[in-house]
Amino acid sequence: MSPDRTVAYVLPVYDEAENVAAFHRALAAATDERPDLRFEFVYVDDGSGDDSLDRLLELRHDDPRVTVLALSRNFGHQVAVTAGLDAATGADAVIVMDTDLQDPPGVSLELIRVWEKGVDVVYAQRRTRQDGPFKRATAYLFYWLLARLASIDIPRNVGDFRLMDARVVAEVVRYREHDRFLRGIVANVGFRQEAVLFDRDARHAGTTGYPLRKMLAFATSGILGFSTLPLRLISRLGLAISAASVAAACYVLWVRLFVPGQAVPGWAFLGVGMFLLGGLQLTMMGVIGGYLGRVYVESQDRPLYSLALTARGGLPGDPS
């Protein structure tokens, strides 16, 4: 392994003022075990509402390996990671991880060791996780649905904590869709990919940046971005309802012709059936609208993000 090789860490930050200092100390201590490599720490502030950006600039003042990117507003975790990947394309490998210390920095060294054996993508797969029952249940349901709906194989219990070789990063940054699901994009790119099992820790401080609303939106992006099966299911459901309607019509005709004494008005059944079909139609329109909305957003061809500040190179602490 050449001593000139560089490994860049892409580290999205959103309201993590209580965590970034402790995280950077742990990350610096871990990377000090590999003096044969050069490291760059690319922190991306995703429009934080606290003083995370000030804390990051303090880190840069103390450690010249730190690069700070500040987005002009909150664009979301996946876009923040993309901004970091765009800035780290010159590195030999890029590691993406969060800064809440749920992803242990020491595990990243194991990712590097597997990469040095010739693996292009090394993803950290959660063996255990310190989350509540609701989070674990919804995560299980999400990956279960994704495994059955997605057109590609996306590993279970895998977040964005992973290492990517430079040639994989070069391919990933070519994907510029706005509703981003990076773990699906990386799986779609291909190359040789392997897992490293680890035990995920609890958050060091603060609250999660993924409340239920964002979790649902993220899950929707993953399913709609990598599967057209919902659209095909709509057609199948429509055919099944049509077949049931034809069968019901034949039954009504048979009763009218051969056993007219058993015929009953059935207004309640008709009312329930109408509301059921109306609900199904609206649900189907919502699914179609989800796909159509994605097409509309992509057709606008707007930039993924805007940078308000870039602190990289030059003297430590001097934004450039």
Side-chain angles (χ1 to χ4, degrees), residues 200-221:
R200 199 176 196 217
D201 297 330
R203 284 184 62 89
H204 176 263
T207 58
T208 178
Y210 268 101
L212 180 60
R213 175 180 58 83
K214 287 188 176 181
M215 285 173 56
L216 291 175
F218 186 58
T220 301
S221 294

Side-chain angles (χ1 to χ4, degrees), residues 91-105:
D92 295 286
V94 176
I95 296 175
V96 179
M97 62 188 305
D98 293 330
T99 58
D100 54 12
L101 286 173
Q102 287 189 285
D103 300 333

